[in-house]
Amino acid sequence: MDSSKLKKLSPESTLADLPTYSFRVEPETSGQVVAQQFKAQPQLPGVVIMADQDLIGVISQAKFFERMSQRFSLELYLKRPIQLLPEVATPTVAPLVLPSSCKIGPAVESALGRPSSFAYEPILIRKDHEIYLLDLHDVLLAQTQILGTINKFIEKQHQQTRQLLESLKVEQARTKEYAARLEEEQSETQRVNQILENQQQEMRQQAKRITRLNHRFINISQLLSSEGKKAFEATFMGVSAISKDTDRVFRLGELLERDLEIVDQATHQIEHVSRQVKHLALQASLIVSRSGGQITGFDFITNEINKLGNQAVIANQQVDEIANRFRQRIREVIDAAQSGERTAQSLIQEIQQAETALAQLEALVNEQEGHQGVSAPSPREPMAAISLN
């Protein structure tokens, strides 16, 4: 059998992949013709005896020459028809006929399953409606090649299996390492998750505290807005009262100045009268001197006039002092009124600025309430500034 052909065999190979022999004779063919053919082609595994398309029997070359080597066999069978051979006429084992599609392994099992004396007899196969001879030696050689291929494959598989086992051990070690790392990472992840959960809980608590603070801020802002407006209104009323009182002080100052003018005029008149009285007293004294003291009671009148003049002078001085003090007090009142007016104007400006800041605070509170769904009173218009003129 060609070794190059054996290399092409596989466990799926069939009998059709093996070399076959075609040596058929008629039943009437003499044994001498068969013997000559065997001697001419020693590789022939045997001969097939057929009548037209009917299989009569088969005999291997070894069995044929074994029969001919017996005593008297040449005289009995060599020149007589081949069908008279006992192996053909009365076979103890029927020929093994297999289809060409039969795989080599099952064919070997079937051939070796025959009786031991017939185990190595040729196999007949049907191919293309014809019967061919197949040497069992070729079948066994093919089976050996297939088994060798299978063994190599198995060995290769074993080697790959060992490599896989080694790789598996390495991977198992890596898996254990990965598992340990994974366990550590899971533990770390749990710790981080616990920290995150605690942080989230703290954030929720902080959010609640912030919400409460926002509500308190809104309530305080509302209260501050309400009380601030009341305080501003009261302050404006006070400023208005201060402004009115300042106007009254100015008017009273003007009236006092007019009264002081009258007092000054009266003082001037008293002073003038005093001078006139002193002049009359002087004239009376001169008259008395010139009369030589003849006018009785005139001295008493002169003395009284002098006293009256002196009292008028003293009264004039006192009135003048009072008027001076009064002027000083009026100037102080006017200065205080002007200072109060400036203070009131400054206070009004500060209140206006505070009202603006309060309005902005109310807008911020309303915006915050809009986000949190808390209703608040609508902001009021800033109070009109009071003009102090």
Side-chain angles (χ1 to χ4, degrees):
M1 188 175 182
D2 188 1
S3 61
S4 62
K5 193 170 185 180
L6 284 177
K7 292 181 181 179
K8 298 179 181 179
L9 297 177
S10 68
E12 301 299 323
S13 298
T14 63
L15 297 178
D17 298 324
L18 302 179
T20 57
Y21 301 90
S22 179
F23 180 31
R24 293 178 298 176
V25 296
E26 298 291 334
E28 295 80 12
T29 305
S30 65
Q32 187 175 1
V33 174
V34 174
Q36 292 175 352
Q37 189 67 26
F38 280 155
K39 289 179 181 180
Q41 299 184 34
Q43 75 275 10
L44 290 174
V47 61
V48 180
I49 298 94
M50 297 188 68
D52 294 331
Q53 297 296 325
D54 296 329
L55 177 63
I56 303 302
V58 62
I59 183 173
S60 65
Q61 185 174 167
K63 290 289 185 182
F64 179 81
F65 285 114
E66 182 182 354
R67 173 60 63 182
M68 292 301 173
S69 64
Q70 293 179 2
R71 190 178 181 181
F72 305 115
S73 293
L74 293 176
E75 291 80 3
L76 291 174
Y77 302 113
L78 188 59
K79 295 183 179 179
R80 300 178 69 183
I82 190 68
Q83 64 180 347
L84 297 178
L85 286 172
E87 289 80 5
V88 179
T90 57
T92 57
V93 176
L96 179 59
V97 183
L98 298 174
S100 61
S101 61
C102 180
K103 293 184 178 180
I104 295 174
V108 172
E109 292 179 1
S110 299
L112 297 180
R114 296 177 293 182
S116 58
S117 58
F118 291 90
Y120 296 97
E121 287 295 297
I123 299 174
L124 299 179
I125 63 171
R126 293 185 180 275
K127 184 171 63 175
D128 299 332
H129 305 290
E130 297 290 339
I131 293 179
Y132 297 91
L133 285 166
L134 189 61
D135 193 353
L136 184 61
H137 178 269
D138 295 338
V139 178
L140 293 175
L141 187 61
Q143 176 70 359
T144 301
Q145 181 66 30
I146 292 173
L147 292 176
T149 304
I150 293 174
N151 288 334
K152 289 181 181 179
F153 178 76
I154 292 174
E155 182 63 25
K156 185 177 180 180
Q157 291 297 318
H158 285 169
Q159 184 177 0
Q160 292 179 354
T161 302
R162 288 192 294 271
Q163 293 177 354
L164 289 175
L165 288 175
E166 293 177 358
S167 300
L168 181 60
K169 290 180 181 179
V170 175
E171 292 299 327
Q172 286 177 347
R174 291 180 180 177
T175 303
K176 290 181 180 179
E177 183 179 358
Y178 292 155
R181 291 182 181 178
L182 180 61
E183 186 176 358
E184 292 177 359
E185 291 179 357
Q186 287 178 348
S187 177
E188 182 67 17
T189 302
Q190 290 178 354
R191 187 181 68 83
V192 172
N193 289 336
Q194 184 65 34
I195 293 174
L196 291 176
E197 185 177 356
N198 294 335
Q199 290 179 351
Q200 290 178 354
Q201 185 175 1
E202 291 179 358
M203 290 177 66
R204 287 193 293 268
Q205 293 177 356
Q206 289 179 358
K208 291 180 180 178
R209 288 196 294 269
I210 290 172
T211 302
R212 289 195 296 269
L213 289 176
N214 285 335
H215 285 300
R216 291 182 61 188
F217 172 73
I218 291 172
N219 294 331
I220 292 172
S221 299
Q222 291 174 350
L223 180 61
L224 179 61
S225 176
S226 176
E227 296 299 326
K229 289 183 181 299
K230 292 179 181 178
F232 288 152
E233 291 175 356
T235 303
F236 272 109
M237 292 176 63
V239 171
S240 299
I242 291 172
S243 178
K244 291 179 181 179
D245 292 339
T246 302
D247 291 338
R248 291 178 59 190
V249 168
F250 276 117
R251 288 194 296 271
L252 289 174
E254 292 175 354
L255 293 176
L256 288 173
E257 286 181 353
R258 287 196 294 269
D259 292 339
L260 283 175
E261 290 177 357
I262 296 172
V263 169
D264 286 338
Q265 292 176 2
T267 301
H268 291 307
Q269 289 178 0
I270 291 172
E271 184 179 0
H272 180 70
V273 170
S274 177
R275 286 195 298 268
Q276 293 292 329
V277 168
K278 286 182 177 182
H279 181 69
L280 290 175
L282 181 61
Q283 292 294 329
S285 297
L286 291 175
I287 293 171
V288 171
S289 297
R290 289 175 182 176
S291 63
Q294 297 296 321
I295 300 176
T296 59
F298 200 76
D299 291 334
F300 176 77
I301 295 170
T302 303
N303 291 329
E304 291 299 326
I305 291 172
N306 288 328
K307 290 180 180 180
L308 180 61
N310 292 328
Q311 291 177 356
V313 171
I314 294 171
N316 184 37
Q317 292 176 353
Q318 291 177 351
V319 170
D320 194 12
E321 290 177 358
I322 292 171
N324 290 330
R325 288 197 299 271
F326 205 18
R327 289 191 185 93
Q328 185 177 359
R329 297 292 185 271
I330 290 172
R331 283 195 296 270
E332 292 177 357
V333 170
I334 292 173
D335 292 339
Q338 291 176 350
S339 177
E341 182 180 4
R342 290 192 297 270
T343 302
Q345 292 288 349
S346 176
L347 182 59
I348 288 172
Q349 292 178 358
E350 292 178 358
I351 290 173
Q352 289 175 347
Q353 294 176 356
E355 277 193 336
T356 303
L358 183 60
Q360 294 176 354
L361 177 61
E362 287 184 348
L364 180 61
V365 170
N366 291 331
E367 181 179 359
Q368 183 70 18
E369 290 175 350
H371 288 299
Q372 300 202 0
V374 180
S375 62
S378 59
R380 300 176 183 176
E381 294 295 330
M383 290 179 289
I386 298 175
S387 175
L388 295 177
N389 295 324

